[in-house]
Amino acid sequence: MTAVHSPPSPPTVRRRPETVARTGLYALLAANALVVAVLFVRAGFGANALVVLGRLTGLYAGLLMAFQLLLVARLPWLDRRIGMDRLTLWHRWTGFGLLWALLAHVVFITFGYADMSSLDPVDQLVDLAGTVEGVLRAVVALALILVVGAVSARRARRRLAYETWHFIHLYSYAAVVLAFTHQVAVGSTFTASPAATAYWWGLWGAALTAVLTGRLVLPLWRNRRHRLRVTAVVPENDHVVSVHITGRDLHRLPARAGQFFLWRFLTRDRWWQAHPFSLSAAPDGRTLRLTVKAAGDGSAALRRLRPGTRVFAEGPYGAFTTLRRTRPDTLLIAGGVGVTPIRALLEELDGHAVVLYRVRTEADAVLLGELRALALAKGAELHLVTGPAAPDRLAPAELSRLVPDLTGRDVYVCGPPGMTTAVLRSLRALGVPKRQIHHERFSLAG
């Protein structure tokens, strides 16, 4: 029998948590950009205009690099409010800005010094790399960032396995170290005053501490504390399996319905693979459950897991939770196996809920029995929407017919990318305010 958890309604607040976090990030970046400009001016200009521009673009490249580390540090406060998918997307676009800033830094510095010497730009760069301490390290850092940027381009990213992409991406940390030592060695702004030195050490120290805390210390501490193990593997149908997990003191794990973990099942052949799977039931303080469709070797192998298998989980991650609610009533829209976080949310939600579950046939509807039982227990409406992809059965007219008051509800959407995009387009066409629409793409690399 499915347990029903109905926490009290969230308090009405003037500002949404996501807005507060996003505004805080913007303010943090703007404040640091201002500090960098002030320290740059106080250090004096000297040299020629090209060298001055080169120094300034180099400083802002350093700031962007530190900001990038913050975006992927997976700090719980940021992740719960913004979501890993959006933070990863911002990290990606910041990375391209960083790449252009570094290229501008190299070009301006090289041409500036070439203008003051008898060397051509290429020979000048070679001379700087060979005679000035730290410049060669900067050239190597730039080369590493160019490689990481190339494999992060959309076309290249689609052709690479995540593990390959992630391994190459790790070189960006080496680039960070090389870039910082370059700044220490030759950065005139870095050593211009005790305040400047303290600022740059503090900036880099805070960024690296955030990464180490969010991506290493916190996961290691939580897994040592909770000692997760598989307790059961339950086939839901021929292609979908649920994995039940337990551990110590799970009531202290800050997981919420709608979130996901990066799961590593510590078997001999799969321990090195991490997969993002959502919780398919609201956490009850005793067990966790994920429900997975066999879409690749990693997810298909879950069917062969044995009870007692150790689990290393990173998370919980994601902002697809009731923390984002703005209205007392809710519309939950799921497609295919994207029903897993939707089913968990329905278990946790209070207020009136409507669930639209889009599948090709009723036989494809995973966890349908649980959804029906939950809907009955909570007084929710459940609509199973079946049929082929065309015509669109979640078009504006159909959504209005099924949920006439949808503009007064929070709407949570989870499903295949094509369906999610089409539903979001329909919601916009129907005039649902953007602040009431919640969706998240569960992926590691964006």
Side-chain angles (χ1 to χ4, degrees), residues 76-290:
W77 190 87
L78 280 178
D79 183 81
R80 284 197 301 267
R81 288 159 176 79
I82 296 177
M84 186 190 290
D85 61 335
R86 288 172 178 81
L87 289 170
T88 302
L89 180 63
W90 296 352
H91 168 80
R92 182 172 182 268
W93 286 112
T94 302
F96 289 123
L98 168 64
L99 181 59
W100 285 111
L102 287 174
L103 288 173
H105 172 63
V106 172
V107 169
F108 286 140
I109 288 290
T110 302
F111 276 80
Y113 278 104
D115 187 57
M116 296 186 294
S117 69
S118 59
L119 299 175
D120 63 72
V122 175
D123 290 337
Q124 181 65 65
L125 180 60
V126 172
D127 181 69
L128 289 172
T131 60
V132 179
E133 181 187 1
V135 173
L136 181 59
R137 293 195 291 270
V139 172
V140 174
L142 176 60
L144 291 175
I145 290 174
L146 286 171
V147 171
V148 172
V151 300
S152 297
R154 195 176 301 276
R155 182 174 297 181
R157 175 66 189 91
R158 287 173 177 171
R159 294 174 178 269
L160 292 174
Y162 169 73
E163 289 76 18
T164 303
W165 175 87
H166 185 260
F167 179 78
I168 296 173
H169 213 72
L170 289 176
Y171 282 104
S172 60
Y173 292 107
V176 169
V177 174
L178 291 170
F180 177 66
T181 58
H182 162 71
Q183 186 179 24
V184 171
V186 301
S188 57
T189 304
F190 189 92
T191 58
S193 67
T197 302
Y199 168 78
W200 284 107
W201 275 106
L203 178 71
W204 286 106
L208 291 173
T209 299
V211 171
L212 289 173
T213 300
R215 304 195 68 157
L216 183 64
V217 175
L218 189 57
L220 288 174
W221 179 76
R222 281 181 175 167
N223 280 275
R224 186 175 184 275
R225 180 182 195 179
H226 298 298
R227 298 184 182 275
L228 302 176
R229 290 184 180 272
V230 174
T231 57
V233 178
V234 180
E236 301 292 349
N237 61 30
D238 291 341
H239 306 289
V240 178
V241 64
S242 288
V243 180
H244 297 253
I245 295 169
T246 191
R248 300 188 311 181
D249 299 327
L250 290 187
H251 63 284
R252 296 185 177 181
L253 183 65
R256 302 191 62 163
Q259 292 189 301
F260 68 98
F261 288 77
L262 305 183
W263 304 94
R264 294 178 189 268
F265 296 94
L266 304 183
T267 61
R268 182 176 300 177
D269 56 341
R270 297 291 173 187
W271 63 268
W272 50 277
Q273 290 185 333
H275 295 279
F277 297 135
S278 301
L279 297 174
S280 60
D284 60 8
R286 300 182 303 276
T287 62
L288 303 172
R289 188 184 74 173
L290 55 141

Side-chain angles (χ1 to χ4, degrees), residues 365-437:
V366 182
L367 306 178
L368 181 58
E370 294 185 15
L371 282 173
R372 285 172 170 160
L374 276 171
L376 180 63
K378 298 178 75 70
E381 298 178 33
L382 172 63
H383 300 278
L384 188 65
V385 183
T386 61
D392 184 3
R393 299 178 188 273
L394 294 178
E398 288 296 309
L399 286 178
S400 292
R401 182 181 65 82
L402 292 169
V403 194
D405 62 343
L406 65 83
T407 57
R409 296 173 178 267
D410 277 301
V411 184
Y412 289 79
V413 185
C414 187
M419 188 212 84
T420 299
T421 300
V423 169
L424 295 178
R425 187 165 54 241
S426 295
L427 294 173
R428 288 193 294 268
L430 290 168
V432 179
K434 185 177 180 180
R435 65 180 179 275
Q436 294 171 217
I437 302 173

